[in-house]
Amino acid sequence: MISKAMVPQDAACHGVVSEDFKRQLAGYGLTTAEILYRRPDHRWLLQSYVWQNYDLFPKFPALQDFLTFWQNKLEGPLVSVTVAHSKLIKPAELKAVDGLFRLH
C-alpha cells in the first residue's frame, strides 16, 4: 500500500508543465549573448557580460528589450554583442536501417 507521505508533491505529479517547456513548444530557443562593454569608470577597460534567456530567432525580442534597457539605464557603453541560438526541441533524426543484427 502507498501512503500519501510516499508520493512526491512536485509539479510533475500534478501534470503541470513548466513555462520554459511551453516556450520551447511555441518556437522559442535558448539564446546566449556575450556582451562586451566599456567600464563607465575606466573607459579603456573592456568587460564581458553573458546574458541567457529563451528568445525567438531571428528578431530576438527579449534580447532587444534587454539591450534597450542597458543603453537607457546603465552607464557602460556597448562595444559588441555576439549571439548564439539553439532550438532545444527539434524534429527527431531517424534513419531507417534495413538489416538484422544478432548478439550472441
Side-chain angles (χ1 to χ4, degrees):
M1 176 149 208
I2 298 175
S3 71
K4 273 189 157 181
M6 296 173 68
V7 178
Q9 295 298 317
D10 61 358
C13 289
H14 302 294
V16 177
V17 177
S18 75
E19 290 301 317
D20 289 341
F21 185 70
K22 288 180 186 178
R23 283 183 156 193
Q24 291 174 39
L25 290 176
Y28 284 75
L30 187 62
T31 302
T32 304
E34 181 186 24
I35 300 166
L36 198 61
Y37 66 98
R38 295 196 180 276
R39 293 284 309 253
D41 50 348
H42 302 293
R43 296 291 174 136
W44 52 270
L45 184 60
L46 292 176
Q47 191 157 346
S48 177
Y49 178 82
V50 176
W51 176 91
Q52 192 171 56
N53 204 346
Y54 290 102
D55 211 350
L56 291 169
F57 177 83
K59 296 196 180 214
F60 301 111
L63 178 58
Q64 294 293 340
D65 289 346
F66 178 74
L67 293 175
T68 300
F69 164 79
W70 184 296
Q71 291 174 323
N72 292 336
K73 302 291 183 184
L74 302 180
E75 293 182 22
L78 299 175
V79 173
S80 69
V81 178
T82 305
V83 179
H85 177 81
S86 177
K87 283 197 166 198
L88 300 176
I89 297 180
K90 302 175 185 174
E93 294 180 12
L94 298 177
K95 184 186 253 185
V97 176
D98 187 20
L100 179 61
F101 299 97
R102 293 186 183 170
L103 296 175
H104 300 352

